[in-house]
Amino acid sequence: MLAAYYETPPLAFVRSYGCQQNVNDGEKIRGVLQDVGFGICDTLEDADLILFNTCAVREHAEQRVFGNIGALKKLKEQNPRLIIGVCGCMAQQPHIVEKLRQSYPYVDLVFGVDGIDRLPAMLAERLRRGKRYLETPEQRNAVVEEMPIRRDSGFRAWLPIMYGCDNFCTYCIVPYVRGRERSREPDAILAEFRDLITKGYKEITLLGQNVNSYGKGLGNPIDFADLLNLLCAVPGDYQIRFMTSHPKDASRKLIDTIAAQPHMCKHIHLPVQSGSNRLLQQMNRHYTVEQYLDLVDYARNKIPGVTFSSDIIVGFPGETEEDFEATLELVRKVGYMQLFTFIYSKRNGTPAAKMPDPTTHAEKAARMERLLRTQDEIAFAAIASMAGQNVRVLVEAAGRTPGTVNGRLDNNLVVEFPAPEMLIGQWARVNLTGSRAALLTGELVDE
Ligand code: SAH
Ligand code: SF4
Ligand code: F3S
C-alpha cells in the first residue's frame, strides 16, 4: 500500500480535460488510486497528489494545462511532499515531456495514455527514490481489462468499446497520441454493461473515436450494429448512447438497428467537419457532402424524430469563402440540434500543419460568428416548435433557475422544469411548454 509512505491517509486530486474517453480514463485513475489507499478530494489545496489528465486536440487545450500547472508552483513551495503529475494525451508527445522536464521542475510524474495500470508502480518509484519520474512516451496500444474504476455518476456511465484511431484526418493529433485502433472483446463489454445495469445505471454511453469501425481485428466477426443488438438484449430500463460515429463508416445496418431497438436513443452525433467536398478531401475524411446527406435522409426516414449533432472546423488551411458558404449551406440542410464548432488549430506533426494557411485569425473568427448565428436561428426555432410534446427524460442535475432540475430527452436536448432535486438520477415525464434559446422549458407530469 502506498499509503504506508504517509502519516495520514493521502488525498488525490484528479482533473481530466478533453473528450469523454479522457473523462473515463480519469475515473479509472481515481479507481486505481483509491485501490492503493488514496482518498479522493476536490480541492487542490487538500491534495497530496495532483494529477492533470490532459488533452492535446487543440493548442488552446494545451495552453490551459500549462497555465494550470504553472499555478501549482506555489502549492508545491508550501507543501514539499505534494506530488504533481501530468498524464494523458499531452504527455504522449515527446516535445511536451521535454518542456515539462526543462521548464517545470516541480512536476514529479509524467506518463502517457497507456500508463494508468502502472500508476501505482510509478508512484512507488517516485516515493521510494524521491526523484522525478518522467516517462518517455511510447505507444503500447494495449487493451487493459479489469481496471478499478471510481465512476463520477451513479446513473450515467461511459463504456469504452474501442481505443485509438486509424483514420488520420489531416488536422487531428488523436491517432498520434492515442495509438492504433483496437476493439475490446464483446464479452468484456457485455460483462461491464450487465454489471452497470445491475447496479441501476440508466444511461450508458458507448465510447470510441470511431465506433462504426468496432470489431475490426477481433477473432470472431462482429460489427457495431451487432454489438448494439447484443447489449440491447440485456433486460432493464435503460438507454444507450454512443459517440463518435464517423460518417464514412456509418452503415444503413446501424441506422436500422437504432430504429428497431427501443433502448437506443434517437440521436446521432455525426461530425461532418466541413460542407465543402474539396476540404473534406483535404481533411482525408473519405465521404462527400452528397453521401453524408443521403445518410441523414435515410436515418430521417427510418427513425421518426431522430436528431443530429455535429462537429465543424472553421478555417481549415486554405478554406475559401466558397468552402465556408458550402458549410453554411449544409448546416441549413441538415438542421442540427447541436453543433460543436472549432477554429482550426495547427497541430505539429499532422499533414495539415504543412498546408498553406493564408486566412487571418480575424477572418476565421468572423466566419465562426456567422456559423454560430446560422446554427442558432435554425436550432432555436426547431427547439421552440417542440412545445406541446410530452416526453420522457432522465433527470441529470439541478437547473440554473432555483427550484428546477434539468432533464435530458432521448434526442439529447435538455429541458428545465420545476421539481425537487431528489429526482436527479430518475426518469420523469415532462410536458414541454416552451424554450429559451437551446434550453427547453416544461412541467413535470405525474405518472
Ligand atoms: N473521433 C471524433 C472526434 C475527435 S476530436 C471524430 O472523428 O469526430 C473532436 C473534434 O475536435 C473533431 O471532431 C474536430 O471537429 C475537432 N478537432 C480535431 N482536431 C482539431 C484541430 N486541429 N483544430 C480544430 N479542431 C479540431
Ligand atoms: Fe481525429 Fe479523425 Fe480519428 Fe476523429 S476520426 S479522432 S477526427 S483522426
Ligand atoms: Fe483530447 Fe486526447 Fe480526447 S487529445 S479529445 S483527450 S483523445
Side-chain angles (χ1 to χ4, degrees), residues 91 191 395:
V395 183

Side-chain angles (χ1 to χ4, degrees), residues 19 21 55-59 164-165 167 169-174 208-211 243-247 269-273 283 285 287 310-314 316 340-347 350 352:
C19 65
Q21 271 89 348
C55 169
V57 78
R58 282 170 289 276
E59 197 186 354
C165 182
N167 288 311
C169 304
T170 53
Y171 48 83
C172 184
I173 194 84
V174 171
Q209 293 297 348
N210 176 10
V211 290
M243 63 191 311
T244 298
S245 264
H246 195 305
H269 183 59
L270 200 60
V272 70
Q273 311 298 357
M283 290 175 167
R285 291 290 288 181
Y287 54 84
S310 193
D311 296 351
I312 287 183
I313 296 178
V314 173
F316 181 81
F340 302 89
T341 52
F342 311 101
I343 291 187
Y344 168 75
S345 171
K346 181 175 164 181
R347 306 282 66 204
T350 63

Side-chain angles (χ1 to χ4, degrees), residues 204-260:
I204 315 293
T205 303
L206 308 177
L207 296 181
Q209 293 297 348
N210 176 10
V211 290
N212 299 315
S213 64
Y214 174 77
K216 280 185 195 146
L218 290 178
N220 294 320
I222 178 165
D223 66 15
F224 183 52
D226 300 332
L227 178 72
L228 292 179
N229 285 324
L230 190 72
L231 300 179
C232 286
V234 174
D237 193 7
Y238 60 81
Q239 60 187 22
I240 299 180
R241 299 185 186 278
F242 58 89
M243 63 191 311
T244 298
S245 264
H246 195 305
K248 81 176 162 66
D249 298 312
S251 64
R252 309 219 152 182
K253 179 178 169 189
L254 169 66
I255 308 277
D256 296 345
T257 307
I258 298 171

